[in-house]
Amino acid sequence: MAYANMAANKAADFGKSSVDIEGRAGGSLAEAGISPAKKRQDNKPKTVVFACDENYAPYLPVVLQSLIDHSSAAYGYEIVIMDCCADPQSEIFDEMRHNLQEMLAKKNNFSLKYIKLRAALEQNAFLRKNEPALKRYGYGTYARVFIPDLLADCEKALYLDIDHIILADIAALFALPLGDRLIAAVPDVNVAALRLQADSRRKQLVEQKLGLLPDNYYIVASPMLFNIQACRKFGFTEKILALLAQDYKLPFPDQDAINAVCKGQIKYLPQKWGRVNARNFAGLCDIIRKGGNSQQIATVLGDWRADSTDIAVIHYVTTPKPWGGVGPDYSGLWWHYATKTANGVALLFSLLFPLAAPGARGYFVKTYKLFGLPVLTIKTFPEKIYYQLGKFSFVKKIYGKENCYIYVFGIKIFTIHKKPAWES
């Protein structure tokens, strides 16, 4: 039996209360940790949602910068960030919040909201049954599943992964009529190619286990435009979680589940709205030439090839990500927007010294241990240095444009009038 049908039969057994994120936070979005929004220019803002934790916080300003650069003063844009940080006091996330606030300070048609989601995700009975997948992908990848419940007062909401660059006004997507379709998304060009090969294991999973018919494209779960009210009526969140609770061995758990549950109720977007930096351009083109047993799937590949110059969104699906080097396709575009952000220097710093900055998070970390226990940690950013005992910073050195400030136990002790080396 296809997973979508199994999920439909099981959804009622789990109960809606287990996915009531607003209820866990106190019954309203404001109580869930959302900061006040600024006034918007229109009555229907374009709601754009990101999920972010400590690992991706340094890179969120980059995709937002690209979105801002291609926005229109004629529309209002509501940016919602689902905070999935394990550490509620994360310095990296706080730094990102500060950067985003500065980016949007003079944008009267933008508002910024936060939803603290990690605790609710950890308590969710469905996800706790899916622990092996959680260890592999983390909580952030599942956050998009809860969007219809979190933003119940919206008509539409656009979810974006952080490994994107926006090259067109996303307001155009909100103008698309969805009717009773649940979501709008871009067909996965790599899976489309694999489905043309009879011996492909991915083809077998998509068509046999997930139950996709030849005319059901397998979609990428970002960008993904939600038809909020249709999703809520359908029971989108409950059915996705019910399926995930049954089998944690799905290769791409949330994305596979969304495809299985929503098949036949998806509006397909052109490849320009999710241009992937494909691993094997020549191989995909060869498959296009050879054709296959599904002309419709072959059409997706043709659309991908045709949209090579007309691009609205770039999705960096390959590794390394662009912040880890300049090798991936379109990585130069990512760095173009990175250098326009406040943390652009830090990102370049981590790229030039990758061995000293595990995970390319934008800082150096050196930990000193005594009898195997961490005693002193030194975190070195391009513009600041923290000396920590455990998680407590007892000395902080911050570089300004002309001064260096020394803090001891949170108190400014003295100021050094000297520019940092990279501004000399």
Side-chain angles (χ1 to χ4, degrees):
M1 181 186 294
Y3 269 31
N5 295 330
M6 295 170 65
N9 295 332
K10 292 287 186 180
D13 298 338
F14 290 92
K16 188 173 183 179
S17 61
S18 60
V19 297
D20 187 5
I21 304 301
E22 295 178 12
R24 293 186 189 279
S28 72
L29 290 181
E31 292 170 313
I34 300 180
S35 61
K38 296 175 289 185
K39 291 184 179 180
R40 298 187 285 263
Q41 286 188 333
D42 56 4
N43 294 326
K44 291 186 177 181
K46 315 308 176 187
T47 301
V48 183
V49 189
F50 298 94
C52 188
D53 60 12
E54 300 93 331
N55 296 317
Y56 279 87
Y59 318 119
L60 197 156
V62 181
V63 60
L64 184 56
Q65 182 66 57
S66 69
L67 189 154
I68 292 171
D69 284 2
H70 294 90
S71 63
S72 168
Y75 301 110
Y77 301 84
E78 181 178 57
I79 308 301
V80 179
I81 298 173
M82 298 183 290
D83 178 356
C84 301
C85 288
D87 179 6
Q89 306 299 324
S90 170
E91 295 173 358
I92 303 172
F93 197 85
D94 287 345
E95 184 79 8
M96 180 206 72
R97 287 177 67 115
H98 175 73
N99 290 339
L100 298 188
Q101 195 68 33
E102 287 193 341
M103 290 171 66
L104 299 179
K106 297 181 180 180
K107 300 291 182 180
N108 294 327
N109 60 329
F110 275 80
S111 65
L112 182 60
K113 297 183 178 182
Y114 292 88
I115 302 176
K116 292 184 179 298
L117 200 57
R118 179 59 178 257
L121 291 174
E122 290 179 343
Q123 296 169 19
N124 188 273
F126 298 150
L127 299 185
R128 290 172 69 178
K129 291 183 179 182
N130 211 357
E131 186 175 354
L134 284 174
K135 290 181 178 179
R136 179 179 179 185
Y137 295 102
Y139 283 94
T141 193
Y142 297 96
R144 76 195 83 189
V145 174
F146 297 91
I147 288 176
D149 285 348
L150 290 170
L151 302 176
D153 58 340
C154 290
E155 178 184 345
K156 296 174 182 175
L158 177 66
Y159 173 82
L160 292 173
D161 279 340
I162 293 173
D163 58 349
H164 289 10
I165 285 294
I166 312 302
L167 300 175
D169 189 355
I170 55 90
L173 288 176
F174 288 82
L176 294 175
L178 294 181
D180 58 355
R181 300 295 175 102
L182 302 175
I183 58 175
V186 177
D188 188 320
V189 65
N190 289 299
V191 173
L194 292 173
R195 291 180 71 182
L196 293 179
Q197 302 173 358
D199 58 347
S200 167
R201 293 179 62 183
R202 189 65 177 154
K203 169 185 170 65
Q204 295 173 9
L205 181 142
V206 166
E207 297 180 359
Q208 297 177 19
K209 199 169 187 178
L210 302 185
L212 270 65
L213 301 174
D215 60 345
N216 298 141
Y217 297 148
Y218 180 94
I219 56 95
V220 184
S222 178
M224 187 159 62
L225 183 67
F226 283 86
N227 187 350
I228 297 293
Q229 301 311 318
C231 284
R232 288 175 60 79
K233 182 178 179 180
F234 176 73
F236 173 91
T237 301
E238 296 92 329
K239 290 179 180 178
I240 296 293
L241 292 173
L243 191 154
L244 289 173
Q246 295 173 47
D247 192 336
Y248 57 79
K249 295 180 180 179
L250 294 172
F252 303 97
D254 63 317
Q255 184 167 283
D256 286 344
I258 289 170
N259 274 277
V261 169
C262 299
K263 66 182 175 71
Q265 302 183 75
I266 302 173
K267 183 178 182 67
Y268 301 117
L269 300 176
Q271 289 293 309
K272 62 179 288 183
W273 287 105
R275 177 73 182 183
V276 298
N277 57 332
R279 294 176 176 84
N280 184 3
F281 179 88
L284 288 175
C285 289
D286 184 58
I287 292 173
I288 295 171
R289 285 192 295 270
K290 292 180 180 177
N293 59 0
S294 172
Q295 183 57 43
Q296 190 167 9
I297 291 177
T299 301
V300 172
L301 300 175
D303 180 29
W304 171 76
R305 183 171 60 176
D307 276 346
S308 60
T309 56
D310 181 17
I311 302 174
V313 177
I314 295 176
H315 190 177
Y316 296 93
V317 297
T318 60
T319 53
K321 298 296 185 182
W323 51 81
V326 292
D329 292 344
Y330 309 112
S331 60
L333 267 175
W334 190 90
W335 280 102
H336 166 75
Y337 292 102
T339 57
K340 299 176 73 172
T341 65
N343 63 326
V345 174
L347 293 171
L348 184 59
F349 194 63
S350 64
L351 174 65
L352 296 176
F353 304 99
L355 295 179
R361 294 181 178 181
Y363 59 87
F364 293 154
V365 178
K366 179 65 176 178
T367 302
Y368 298 91
K369 297 182 179 180
L370 181 64
F371 302 117
L373 299 175
V375 176
L376 174 66
T377 299
I378 302 175
K379 293 183 178 180
T380 305
F381 295 77
E383 70 283 356
K384 65 183 69 175
I385 300 175
Y386 292 99
Y387 298 86
Q388 295 181 328
L389 292 176
K391 291 187 177 181
F392 181 73
S393 297
F394 67 96
V395 175
K396 180 167 59 175
K397 182 188 296 184
I398 299 181
Y399 295 101
K401 290 186 177 180
E402 297 181 356
N403 303 322
C404 176
Y405 306 97
I406 308 297
Y407 294 77
V408 178
F409 297 110
I411 302 174
K412 187 192 295 185
I413 302 300
F414 55 86
T415 300
I416 301 174
H417 297 281
K418 183 179 180 179
K419 291 185 178 181
W422 55 86
E423 293 190 4
S424 300

